[in-house]
Amino acid sequence: MKPTIKDVARLAEVSISTVSRVMNAPETVVPGKRDRVIEAIKELKYQPNAFARGLIYKKSFTLGLLIPDIENLYFAGVIRGMQDACIKLGYSLMICNTDRDKERMLSYIDTFHEKQVDGIVFASDVLYPEYYEKLVDCRIPFVLVSSHSDEYEVPSVEVDDELAAYEAVKFLIELGHKEIGMIGFNHDNSVSGPPRVAGFVRALTESGLERNVEKIKYANHRFEHAYQASHELFSDYPELTAVFCVADEFAMGTISYLKDRNILVPGQVSVIGFDNLRMSGMFIPKLTTIAQPIYQLGYRAAEKLHELLTTGSVAVMKEKMEHKLIVRESSREK
């Protein structure tokens, strides 16, 4: 039969209330009794809850994940990858949605500290000094996914955003497009936004198309924001024949705007996205896009955090994963 708290108490020669206090407030129990209870728990393999397990091994076997927008399909893939890795590695996963709100972010870090998570994965957001200082003060190991820090030496895993954007725009240029615009992330709350703009600019400059580098409008991570940004972009630059969007959701917003204006995609305007969400192959027209290994990013982030927790360091501090151009229906030769 499965051992009970009574069995633990009997073996440790203490009361049931003492066993309970050892599991819930061990500092209130004298060391001798506390040690006997812990030894009894180990011997009987008594595990009434995660806390008891953590008491024995000095770990909670729980990881925390901080994501900025749980409604974004990109993060569904990251979560799935991280969850599968956690199952393999023996962890539970706690997820908090921050909405890129600083106060909420700091509150969630406190919550993770109170829950005694072993480590945190911090996804797709700027590592502001107050976040870094809070995490360091709480002594919680953490890893960045789809993000990086130039200021702090923090383990990270992501794609090369600048190179990926460069290759996307280079592809449009090779199709014969010379009037190319861009829908980008607002820089105020984006890690990947600036390098993707840099890739856009590099591709244009190398091809002698410098006049296009200012043909950029910015949006706040949602379809409807990209729709409005597309209106602004084509109002200012109606001559555009191609648009690079820094997210598939932005590409969908752009195509929807163009459809409402009776502008054909790809007949009159080619559109390329970034991410390769599952929806990108279901959308009409099917999206040409830069594929990130979204699932693998989440999986690798959990593995990297486990490596940090078990060895105290990581073999590769700033890790880059491969991206890939996926050509579908939303692009064509000029």
Side-chain angles (χ1 to χ4, degrees), residues 278-316:
R278 288 184 66 239
M279 285 292 295
S280 65
M282 306 175 196
F283 195 73
I284 300 175
K286 295 177 182 178
L287 292 181
T288 294
T289 187
I290 293 292
Q292 294 199 69
I294 303 173
Y295 173 91
Q296 290 81 2
L297 283 165
Y299 198 101
R300 183 67 189 121
E303 287 185 323
K304 204 172 190 72
L305 184 54
H306 175 69
E307 180 186 4
L308 181 62
L309 291 169
T310 54
T311 70
S313 63
V314 294
V316 181

Side-chain angles (χ1 to χ4, degrees), residues 21-312:
R21 284 192 294 122
V22 168
M23 291 190 295
N24 292 283
E27 71 281 357
T28 66
V29 182
V30 296
K33 288 185 178 180
R34 184 171 65 227
D35 292 344
R36 293 208 308 273
V37 169
I38 292 174
E39 286 303 314
I41 289 172
K42 288 181 180 179
E43 183 175 336
L44 295 172
K45 295 182 173 61
Y46 174 62
Q47 294 183 354
N49 53 41
F51 183 84
R53 187 178 177 218
L55 181 66
I56 297 169
Y57 297 102
K58 294 181 171 56
K59 293 179 66 178
S60 68
F61 295 93
T62 302
L63 303 183
L65 172 60
L66 294 164
I67 58 171
D69 184 2
I70 201 167
E71 291 184 332
N72 188 316
L73 290 175
Y74 176 84
F75 295 111
V78 172
I79 291 169
R80 178 59 188 269
M82 190 171 174
Q83 179 72 72
D84 285 356
C86 283
I87 291 171
K88 176 184 175 183
L89 296 169
Y91 294 98
S92 296
L93 181 63
M94 293 178 61
I95 303 168
C96 287
N97 181 71
T98 68
D99 280 336
R100 294 187 171 86
D101 179 275
K102 285 191 176 183
E103 291 304 314
R104 183 181 294 187
M105 173 71 81
L106 294 170
S107 174
Y108 284 149
I109 294 172
D110 283 333
T111 298
F112 282 152
H113 186 225
E114 291 169 5
K115 298 295 183 182
Q116 299 180 3
V117 300
D118 295 329
I120 291 174
V121 169
F122 181 100
S124 295
D125 207 348
V126 178
L127 184 63
Y128 292 108
E130 50 265 53
Y131 299 166
Y132 178 81
E133 291 164 7
K134 169 75 78 170
L135 287 162
V136 170
D137 287 345
C138 291
R139 297 182 180 180
I140 305 176
F142 64 102
V143 166
L144 308 179
V145 63
S146 296
S147 182
H148 66 272
S149 175
D150 295 326
E151 186 175 359
Y152 307 110
E153 193 72 358
V154 179
S156 62
V157 55
E158 60 181 339
V159 298
D160 188 328
D161 287 297
E162 192 276 343
L163 179 60
Y166 169 84
E167 291 177 358
V169 178
K170 197 72 174 175
F171 170 73
L172 294 173
I173 294 169
E174 290 169 353
L175 290 178
H177 295 281
K178 295 183 178 180
E179 302 297 338
I180 304 171
M182 176 176 172
I183 305 294
F185 291 131
N186 277 332
H187 288 9
D188 291 344
N189 56 4
S190 172
V191 177
S192 61
R196 293 182 193 182
V197 170
F200 172 79
V201 171
R202 178 161 72 97
L204 294 173
T205 302
E206 284 186 3
S207 300
L209 301 174
E210 292 91 341
R211 66 182 183 279
N212 287 290
V213 298
E214 295 182 356
K215 297 176 181 179
I216 306 174
K217 299 296 179 181
Y218 299 97
N220 285 328
H221 301 278
R222 294 290 182 103
F223 173 98
E224 57 270 22
H225 302 141
Y227 186 102
Q228 177 60 33
S230 298
H231 168 69
E232 296 169 5
L233 183 66
F234 280 90
S235 295
D236 289 349
Y237 309 106
E239 72 277 8
L240 295 178
T241 66
V243 182
F244 165 55
C245 299
V246 296
D248 285 348
E249 192 165 335
F250 282 14
M252 295 174 192
T254 298
I255 292 172
S256 294
Y257 167 77
L258 293 170
K259 180 178 182 297
D260 289 346
R261 295 290 304 275
N262 295 315
I263 298 173
L264 300 177
V265 176
Q268 294 169 270
V269 176
S270 288
V271 177
I272 183 169
F274 199 115
D275 287 334
N276 196 36
L277 303 177
R278 288 184 66 239
M279 285 292 295
S280 65
M282 306 175 196
F283 195 73
I284 300 175
K286 295 177 182 178
L287 292 181
T288 294
T289 187
I290 293 292
Q292 294 199 69
I294 303 173
Y295 173 91
Q296 290 81 2
L297 283 165
Y299 198 101
R300 183 67 189 121
E303 287 185 323
K304 204 172 190 72
L305 184 54
H306 175 69
E307 180 186 4
L308 181 62
L309 291 169
T310 54
T311 70

Side-chain angles (χ1 to χ4, degrees), residues 320-332:
K320 301 285 189 182
M321 300 194 77
E322 295 293 325
H323 61 271
K324 182 181 179 182
L325 173 66
I326 306 294
V327 179
R328 297 195 182 100
E329 299 171 350
S330 66
S331 60
R332 59 177 270 183

